[in-house]
């Protein structure tokens, strides 16, 4: 497996980029890692990079995109933030990845048992711990929680069904935000130059489910 070049990147369609990630996750789950010479890839990418995908994932230490999709150096732009949501800086990074550097796919990757989402459900408890910036982060999920929670349902990270429902809706909300807040990415998608898709990583099995 060699690093991508400008020529190989130009031949990749959004559909093929998605297939690369699906095949990579199958290798990961099957413990069949592709044979790569990473030092050779360092040398091959010293003059530039031509990733085929942009992956937004959580900072969770179990969800490294390069590992769970079995990709090498120069293959993907990896953007990470607790709770895999978007803001203006992340959108700018995505625009760079796709409109400047030529990536063909944007993936919003959520995952099971997400600590940031647990914090959102347990916000009252977290806010009492006096961590101003963490409080700001988990407040991001409050509007989604209020939309999806049922009357009388327990708002708690112990409510595993609600936690997973929040995970799924959070991914979809991030995709909606990308399309609404970035005219650049929306245009590229409308022109068929990129795909914007959601996925969910299961921390117990290693399997990525495409939403």
């Amino acid at each position: 497996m060699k690093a991508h070049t400008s020529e190989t990147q130009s031949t990749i369609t959004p559909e093929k980029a998605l297939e690369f990630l699906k095949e990579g996750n199958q290798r990961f789950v099957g413990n069949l890692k592709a044979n790569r010479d990473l030092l050779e890839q360092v040398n091959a990418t010293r003059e530039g990079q031509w990733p085929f995908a942009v992956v937004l994932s959580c900072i969770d230490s179990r969800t490294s995109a390069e590992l769970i999709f079995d990709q090498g150096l120069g293959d993907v732009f990896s953007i990470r933030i607790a709770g895999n949501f978007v803001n203006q800086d992340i959108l700018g990074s995505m625009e760079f990845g796709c409109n400047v550097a030529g990536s063909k796919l944007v993936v919003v990757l959520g995952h099971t048992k997400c600590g940031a989402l647990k914090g959102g459900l347990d916000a009252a408890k977290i806010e009492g711990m006096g961590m101003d910036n963490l409080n700001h982060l988990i407040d991001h999920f409050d509007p989604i929680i209020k939309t999806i929670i049922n009357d009388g349902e327990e708002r708690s990270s112990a409510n595993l069904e609600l936690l997973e429902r929040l995970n799924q809706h959070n991914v979809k909300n991030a995709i909606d935000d990308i399309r609404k807040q970035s005219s650049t990415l929306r245009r590229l998608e409308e022109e068929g130059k990129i795909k914007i898709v959601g996925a969910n990583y299961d921390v117990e099995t290693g399997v990525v489910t495409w939403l």
Side-chain angles (χ1 to χ4, degrees):
M1 300 286 284
K2 296 185 179 297
H4 282 286
T5 65
S6 177
E7 290 74 20
T8 61
Q9 186 201 57
S10 67
T11 66
I12 298 172
T13 64
E15 292 76 17
K16 187 62 178 176
L18 179 58
E19 190 61 29
F20 283 160
L21 295 186
K22 289 181 177 180
E23 292 172 352
N25 183 243
Q26 289 174 354
R27 291 194 300 272
F28 174 72
V29 173
N31 203 25
L32 299 169
K33 185 178 179 180
N35 183 29
R36 291 184 177 87
D37 185 332
L38 292 178
L39 288 179
E40 179 185 346
Q41 290 190 336
V42 169
N43 184 59
T45 56
R46 64 183 176 177
E47 300 297 335
Q49 57 174 337
W50 297 272
F52 64 86
V54 178
V55 181
L56 169 62
S57 60
C58 183
I59 67 166
D60 190 291
S61 62
R62 300 165 291 184
T63 63
S64 170
E66 290 85 352
L67 292 178
I68 66 178
F69 290 121
D70 189 28
Q71 299 302 312
L73 289 171
D75 288 341
V76 297
F77 285 112
S78 183
I79 306 172
R80 303 186 73 171
I81 188 171
N84 44 269
F85 62 90
V86 299
N87 58 27
Q88 189 172 12
D89 299 314
I90 287 172
L91 289 170
S93 298
M94 290 178 171
E95 289 174 358
F96 171 81
C98 295
N99 202 42
V100 178
S103 292
K104 310 300 177 66
L105 180 69
V106 174
V107 179
V108 178
L109 180 67
H111 70 96
T112 59
K113 301 183 178 180
C114 177
L117 299 185
K118 289 180 179 180
L121 292 173
D122 299 333
K125 183 190 306 181
I126 299 295
E127 288 171 358
M129 297 170 67
M131 293 183 283
D132 297 340
N133 294 294
L134 179 57
N135 294 340
H136 175 78
L137 186 148
I138 63 175
D139 283 346
H140 176 88
F141 310 113
D142 198 55
I144 307 174
I145 295 169
K146 290 178 178 177
T147 299
I148 67 171
I149 197 166
N150 299 318
D151 290 341
E153 186 174 16
E154 178 190 10
R155 176 172 172 158
S156 167
S157 60
N159 184 344
L160 299 182
E161 196 279 330
L162 176 60
L163 176 61
E164 185 53 30
R165 201 187 325 147
L166 175 57
N167 176 31
Q168 302 276 335
H169 278 268
N170 185 53
V171 170
K172 294 174 183 176
N173 187 75
I175 292 173
D176 288 344
D177 284 345
I178 292 169
R179 290 173 175 150
K180 290 175 183 175
Q181 298 176 26
S182 174
S183 60
T184 299
L185 296 170
R186 183 172 66 249
R187 172 180 54 80
L188 290 173
E189 184 180 41
E190 290 171 349
E191 293 173 352
K193 295 178 179 177
I194 68 169
K195 276 185 176 294
I196 304 172
V197 300
N200 185 41
Y201 176 72
D202 191 322
V203 299
E204 295 186 9
T205 66
V207 174
V208 171
T209 303
W210 298 89
L211 307 179

